[in-house]
Amino acid sequence: MYNQSKIILLSLVLFTVAGCNISRTVNKTLYPPANTKWVNIEVKNPSQYTKPFPIEVRYISYGCMKKRISGFDGSVITEPSYNVIGIPMQQGSSDIWEAKVAMTGGGSCKWALSAVTLGIEYIDATHLGKDLVPGTAIGVTLAFDNDASRNGQFTSSIGDLNITRKYYPYIRERKIAEKTKSLSLLGKENFLSYRVSKFSSIYFYPEVDEMKIVRYIEPSKKTDGVYSKIIYPDGSVAPEKTLFPDFDKVDKMKIN
């Protein structure tokens, strides 16, 4: 599922939307002008078991400001409004999926593109285990303005952006709080972050190698001295209390 991408994108959005003049509801209707610049996005689907999830797009408006109460001192803070929408990708030739996003959203609030999240997720997990269900997604978050990139964790990119990364299946068996077996994708970074400028196209071409499967297995119950295990494709086990798999180790691992 793309819940993880939703968390990344929606964490940028501050809650409580008031009206353009605080007394009226924000008009979130988009009317891209005829002369708007469009962002061309391509995602290559690497497997019959995966699929690009709908692009999550965030627009920002300084024309329709909102007010919220500070949780620190109760003061009133005036901030821009946000408008988050989903845009389904369309399958083009073969395994290439495409979408276009307007830089200028227009409308009465003068919406402008701020951030986009794109990527892929498993839609079928049973080929690697009959009890497996699809887990979290992987992908890219793009910042188009200073507001979206204000946390400083974005790599600067000038010109068209071509991204190719390798991912491996990651099976997680949870047995304590919830009893689930999910299949996700493991990457060096599950979501890459870029601050883009002077571009027209974004290309994301992920690769999935299902010859190397990483497993996370929880114990059946909480017991002192008994910890979850991370098992690598060659059968080796990560040191006790390891929380996340070592991607570089998996990537360099030779499997017969």
Side-chain angles (χ1 to χ4, degrees), residues 142-185:
L142 306 170
F144 297 87
D145 61 9
N146 292 332
D147 182 86
S149 60
R150 64 180 180 271
N151 65 12
Q153 299 176 351
F154 287 73
T155 301
S156 179
S157 175
I158 300 175
D160 289 352
L161 183 60
N162 294 272
I163 307 166
T164 301
R165 291 289 190 278
K166 184 173 286 187
Y167 300 89
Y168 299 99
Y170 186 26
I171 295 175
R172 284 178 279 195
E173 297 185 30
R174 302 190 180 278
K175 304 177 181 179
I176 301 177
E178 53 180 328
K179 298 185 183 298
T180 59
K181 294 174 67 176
S182 64
L183 174 63
S184 301
L185 289 164

Side-chain angles (χ1 to χ4, degrees), residues 179-198:
K179 298 185 183 298
T180 59
K181 294 174 67 176
S182 64
L183 174 63
S184 301
L185 289 164
L186 174 70
K188 179 78 173 180
E189 297 173 278
N190 285 352
F191 272 84
L192 305 160
S193 301
Y194 290 92
R195 171 69 160 90
V196 294
S197 61
K198 298 180 180 179

Side-chain angles (χ1 to χ4, degrees), residues 206-242:
E207 300 175 2
V208 175
D209 182 357
E210 291 194 337
M211 297 300 293
K212 298 180 183 181
I213 300 175
V214 183
R215 298 177 183 272
Y216 172 94
I217 303 176
E218 277 187 346
S220 298
K221 59 181 179 179
K222 287 186 177 181
T223 305
D224 290 342
V226 179
Y227 305 98
S228 298
K229 291 183 179 180
I230 293 178
I231 304 174
Y232 290 109
D234 64 354
S236 61
V237 180
E240 286 187 349
K241 300 183 182 181
T242 300

